[in-house]
Amino acid sequence: MNNTQPNFALSPRSNLQLNGRCGFNIQNDRVSINIDSIANQRDNTNLSGTLAIELWALKQPYQGEHFEGVALAGTTIGEIQGQHFIPNCQYDLMFREPPAGNWHLALMLREWNGAAYETRDCVNFAVPYSASWVPTVVKKPSDNVISVSFNETEKTEQTGAKAAAKKPAKPAEKAAAKAELDQTAKTAAKKAEPKAAPKAQDGTLCLNTASQKEIAAIKGVSTKLAARLVEARPFKTLDEVLKVKGMGAKLLAKIEEVITL
C-alpha cells in the first residue's frame, strides 16, 4: 500500500514539525517511511529531547489528544538542535499488521520528555487501511492419523486362482536343506582362509611374503623370532635380516639355504 500527502498541521502546531510531503509504502512485513524534512523551530539553544517516528493505526483520525490504536512501526532518530532540521528522511522499518478491520493511519513525531513520549506533530493519511482476517490453521494430532481396518483376505494369483497353501517340510527335506547350508558355510569359510605364500621354484621360503606360521616352521626359528621377522619386513638384504633381534649369524647361516627375499 502506498500513500503520500502534505502534512496537515495540528492546532496549535508544535515547534517540532514534520515538513513537506510525508508518505509510506507497505510491502509484506516492511514499511518505508519518507518525510521531506523534520525541523526544530525552537530557539537555537534549545536541543530537543530524543525524537521518534511512529506509524499508528487508529480508530479515529488523530486530533491532538489522547488516542487509542496499534503501533505499526517506529524508530528513534536522536535529537535536533534548535533552528535545525533533518532533510530527506527515509526509514525502512519492520511492519506489524493491525487486527482485522478498517483503520486510520497516522504518522507521528514524538518527543521524550524524561518520563514518556509526547506527540509533537502528526500526519493523518486520508485513505483508510483495511486489514483482513487471516485464519490460522491449527492441526490436531489426530488430523494426521489415518485409521483403516482391513479384512483378512486370501492371496490370489494374477489369474485369480487361489494360491496353494504351503505344506510343512518333511524330515528328509529338512535334513537335505541343513546339509546344503552346512556345505555352503564350509565353502565360505574355506574361501576366507588366508592363502599360503607361494614358495620359490627351488623350494625356498620367501621371508617377505611368507606367513608367521610358515616362518616359525623353519627349524631353529622360534615363534617370537618369526613374529619379529614379519614385523620388520620387507627385507632387501640378508644383513637387514641379521639386524632382527634373535637372529644371530649362526642361525642365519643355518637357514640361509631354505629362505629367500
Side-chain angles (χ1 to χ4, degrees):
M1 178 179 181
N2 292 281
N3 202 320
T4 302
Q5 66 183 52
N7 182 13
F8 294 97
L10 299 176
S11 180
R13 194 176 186 189
S14 166
N15 46 22
L16 289 172
Q17 300 172 357
L18 300 171
N19 290 329
R21 300 184 67 83
C22 303
F24 65 87
N25 179 20
I26 299 172
Q27 293 288 340
N28 299 321
D29 61 347
R30 307 293 300 182
V31 58
S32 298
I33 296 176
N34 300 283
I35 306 167
D36 281 354
S37 68
I38 303 172
N40 181 356
Q41 301 293 354
R42 297 170 182 169
D43 184 86
N44 58 10
T45 61
N46 192 325
L47 180 68
S48 73
T50 300
L51 300 176
I53 295 294
E54 299 176 0
L55 183 65
W56 282 78
L58 309 177
K59 288 298 183 181
Q60 300 293 332
Y62 183 69
Q63 300 297 329
E65 299 176 355
H66 175 72
F67 63 92
E68 293 183 2
V70 180
L72 307 181
T75 183
T76 56
I77 61 172
E79 303 164 333
I80 301 179
Q81 187 69 40
Q83 297 300 306
H84 287 72
F85 67 95
I86 303 174
N88 302 320
C89 304
Q90 297 181 351
Y91 307 101
D92 180 29
L93 308 174
M94 289 290 297
F95 176 74
R96 174 190 175 190
E97 183 75 9
N102 292 323
W103 298 88
H104 297 274
L105 299 192
L107 182 63
M108 299 185 183
L109 174 62
R110 312 190 76 200
E111 181 183 25
W112 180 254
N113 63 12
Y117 278 98
E118 291 183 343
T119 304
R120 300 304 187 195
D121 200 3
C122 175
V123 174
N124 286 309
F125 294 100
V127 179
Y129 182 82
S130 179
S132 302
W133 177 74
V134 179
T136 302
V137 178
V138 179
K139 290 187 177 181
K140 299 179 181 179
S142 59
D143 289 346
N144 294 327
V145 178
I146 300 176
S147 178
V148 181
S149 60
F150 295 92
N151 294 325
E152 292 185 1
T153 58
E154 295 181 353
K155 293 183 178 180
T156 59
E157 297 179 349
Q158 292 182 357
T159 58
K162 291 185 179 180
K166 293 184 178 180
K167 296 180 180 180
K170 295 180 180 180
E173 294 176 348
K174 289 183 178 179
K178 185 176 183 302
E180 184 178 353
L181 289 174
D182 291 343
Q183 183 61 35
T184 302
K186 288 180 181 179
T187 302
K190 188 174 182 180
K191 289 182 179 180
E193 291 179 356
K195 295 182 179 180
K199 292 186 178 181
Q201 293 181 356
D202 57 0
T204 57
L205 187 68
C206 180
L207 287 183
N208 285 328
T209 59
S211 67
Q212 180 179 330
K213 185 177 180 181
E214 290 174 324
I215 297 174
I218 300 174
K219 188 176 181 179
V221 178
S222 65
T223 303
K224 290 184 178 180
L225 178 55
R228 294 192 190 108
L229 289 169
V230 170
E231 184 178 356
R233 66 189 185 188
F235 304 108
K236 294 182 179 180
T237 64
L238 291 178
D239 289 338
E240 293 179 356
V241 177
L242 188 60
K243 293 179 181 179
V244 177
K245 184 179 180 181
M247 177 61 72
K250 291 183 179 180
L251 178 58
L252 180 59
K254 184 178 179 181
I255 67 173
E256 186 175 359
E257 296 180 355
V258 296
I259 64 171
T260 186
L261 300 180

